[in-house]
Amino acid sequence: MRLSELQKGMCGKIIAIDSEPVLKSRFSSFGIVKGAIVSVLEQTLSKNTIEIKVQNTKIAIRISEAETIEIENSQC
């Protein structure tokens, strides 16, 4: 399952990130790394961007970026 498919209020555990090294490095700086638990807080009306929470950090990322993050369902 991809992070982009996760519904608002649900959580997932990151199992892989399939992005370019520059984007992967940016994700890493926010704590978006393999094994991290991520939850979806909000989704824009246009469904282009989602707000996620990783550890205690809230981040807005594009859906196209969220599609590069593979997750498995997890409890919040």
Side-chain angles (χ1 to χ4, degrees), residues 60-74:
I61 63 172
R62 295 180 188 98
I63 289 295
S64 60
E65 295 170 338
E67 290 173 348
T68 67
I69 301 172
E70 187 174 348
I71 61 166
E72 63 184 15
N73 285 333
S74 176

Side-chain angles (χ1 to χ4, degrees), residues 8-19:
K8 181 179 173 182
M10 296 179 68
C11 293
K13 180 179 179 182
I14 297 173
I15 55 174
I17 300 173
D18 304 320
S19 63

Side-chain angles (χ1 to χ4, degrees), residues 6-71:
L6 201 63
Q7 299 297 312
K8 181 179 173 182
M10 296 179 68
C11 293
K13 180 179 179 182
I14 297 173
I15 55 174
I17 300 173
D18 304 320
S19 63
E20 298 292 322
V22 172
L23 183 57
K24 191 179 278 190
S25 175
R26 188 175 135 232
F27 284 158
S28 179
S29 68
F30 292 124
I32 303 173
V33 295
K34 187 175 177 180
I37 303 295
V38 60
S39 62
V40 174
L41 302 176
E42 292 291 335
Q43 188 171 38
T44 60
L45 292 176
S46 62
K47 300 194 186 293
N48 290 336
T49 306
I50 58 173
E51 181 182 24
I52 61 172
K53 182 177 179 182
V54 179
Q55 298 170 359
N56 289 326
T57 304
K58 294 178 183 177
I59 307 155
I61 63 172
R62 295 180 188 98
I63 289 295
S64 60
E65 295 170 338
E67 290 173 348
T68 67
I69 301 172
E70 187 174 348
I71 61 166

